[in-house]
Amino acid sequence: MTERYWLSAALLSMHTDPAGPLGGDVTGGMNVYVREIARALPSLGVRADVFTRATGEPPPGSASPEIAELSPGARLIRIPAGPREPLDKNHQTPFTGEFASGIRQFAGEESADERGEGYGLISSHYWLSALAGQELAGAWGVPLVHRFHTIAARKNGSLPGDGGKESGGRVNAEEGIVRRADALVASSEGEADDLAGMLGAERGKIHVIPCGVDSERFSPLPRTRARKMLGLGERERFILSVGRIEPIKGLDRLVRALAAIRGMRPDLPVSVIHAGGEAGKNPQMTIGLNPGDFNSPVQRGEVARILGLAGESNLAGSFRFLGARSQEELRAYYSAADVLAIPSRYETFGLVALEAAACGLPAVAFDVGGLSGAIESGKSGHLVPEGDIPAFAGAALNIITSPEARARLGARARERARGFSWRSAAEREAGVWKKLLRLRTGEPDNKESCRRVSPVSA
């Protein structure tokens, strides 16, 4: 290891490629988190290798595993494990051992080159990565730091009925992970409470580190310009929704909220635009996508359900799905929208709320999970009681119909978003890692450089 780096860290993101396009069944905020943290770490003296499961045929003549640079000092390494094709996350469990073995082999082959001395810490993301991370941490005798991103017990408890529930095997695995990991990172105090209360995690292991946002990439565009870019009329009023398409995201509740808004103001032609989902074609803005346009059976079923509910509520054509949009396009949508709606039944943090805030767009959300960390209710947006559709509709309508309220909340949202940077999040993660390593070696705790990051009080 060169003198520039005090640590080489292995970041595991087995089930989803951090460099993959957003909008699929498993590509969302976690992909952004892992990618941006890895890019920030080298400037803090941490060399970062991100490992993910390889899918698709490798380019002709390429080595296996494939290596791509995320930033100087940060690499993305795709490890063959199981069939080289996209797999449902629930079908990847049998390949966690093969994934770990592939990483060990890669590390061994590199041990004699200039990258040198192996990995001093494992940072795993999502429960599947932790299963591989446990094996690697034991083999190498290094700390394992884990971030769940979502917890099965909380997700299952938030879903109505039996559809979309996580397996009992995952629930049991997550209980084991909290015991094995040397430290746990949560995005919010709410998630930290879930780790302790639902999984039995030791409070002393939990560190709360909020997500970040790129305030340069996500910055306000002039509203008129943004609407012109998107082909939207200046007088058109629309609610923006962004994220994966699955029942936990609560899009059915957004249909009900839109119906309530129409009931309150039948003279106001408000519609909903949803950005997210993996589609096989680009939509017409005025029409949107049909269920059959989506690549995933899960997404096709959910889109059909939501559009069916919209039709039953006399909202046909007023709820449009546009599929995944690039981050550059999202900036325009955030700048053009009247309000961001987050109708989720469960969110560990709510990264889209920060992205919208950085563009000056206030959000309305149900007060679930860690959304209170992303939205300062009454100041940068509104949080309403869980499941209260009339309150959600009323809060959204207040912003839509009051340019003054939108401007006031948006200005505060943008100001607040500047306090959430990816570099800051990476600094805090690295602080947790440094303290763990000092404890392992028995060195005294240097409170200036190894300060405990956002501990959760007992």
Side-chain angles (χ1 to χ4, degrees), residues 68-262:
E69 185 178 75
L70 295 172
S71 69
R75 301 185 298 179
L76 176 63
I77 301 146
R78 299 181 174 96
I79 299 290
R84 290 189 67 115
E85 62 187 40
L87 291 175
D88 184 281
K89 61 185 180 180
N90 296 313
H91 297 160
Q92 295 188 33
T93 311
F95 307 113
T96 56
E98 186 178 348
F99 184 63
S101 296
I103 295 172
R104 289 183 67 181
Q105 181 179 350
F106 176 84
E109 290 172 351
E110 291 225 325
S111 61
D113 75 7
E114 70 277 2
R115 288 185 70 91
E117 302 167 10
Y119 300 103
L121 181 136
I122 309 293
S123 170
S124 59
H125 296 264
Y126 199 68
W127 72 284
L128 289 168
S129 294
L131 298 182
Q134 292 172 161
E135 182 177 329
L136 293 169
W140 292 336
V142 301
L144 172 66
V145 179
H146 182 66
R147 191 165 194 145
F148 281 98
H149 294 274
T150 61
I151 301 167
R154 170 57 70 193
K155 183 176 180 181
N156 287 349
S158 302
L159 282 167
D162 297 324
K165 300 284 188 179
E166 297 294 334
S167 68
R170 175 181 170 182
V171 173
N172 293 334
E174 290 184 341
E175 291 174 353
I177 291 164
V178 298
R179 293 191 295 270
R180 172 60 184 84
D182 295 279
L184 300 165
V185 178
S187 298
S188 64
E189 295 289 348
E191 185 185 1
D193 288 342
D194 285 344
L195 292 176
M198 292 185 148
L199 299 182
E202 298 175 21
R203 286 283 184 173
K205 280 187 177 183
I206 306 171
H207 303 263
V208 177
I209 304 176
C211 297
V213 67
D214 186 340
S215 293
E216 293 183 3
R217 172 175 290 169
F218 292 104
S219 59
L221 288 169
R223 185 176 173 81
T224 301
R225 176 184 165 196
R227 288 187 163 234
K228 186 175 181 180
M229 289 170 60
L230 300 174
L232 294 168
E234 187 60 32
R235 296 174 62 85
E236 184 174 353
R237 295 289 171 259
F238 79 94
I239 299 166
L240 179 66
S241 171
V242 178
R244 295 194 309 278
I245 299 173
E246 57 178 334
I248 198 71
K249 295 299 183 180
L251 293 178
D252 55 316
R253 308 201 296 182
L254 187 50
V255 172
R256 292 165 59 197
L258 180 59
I261 289 172
R262 288 286 183 85

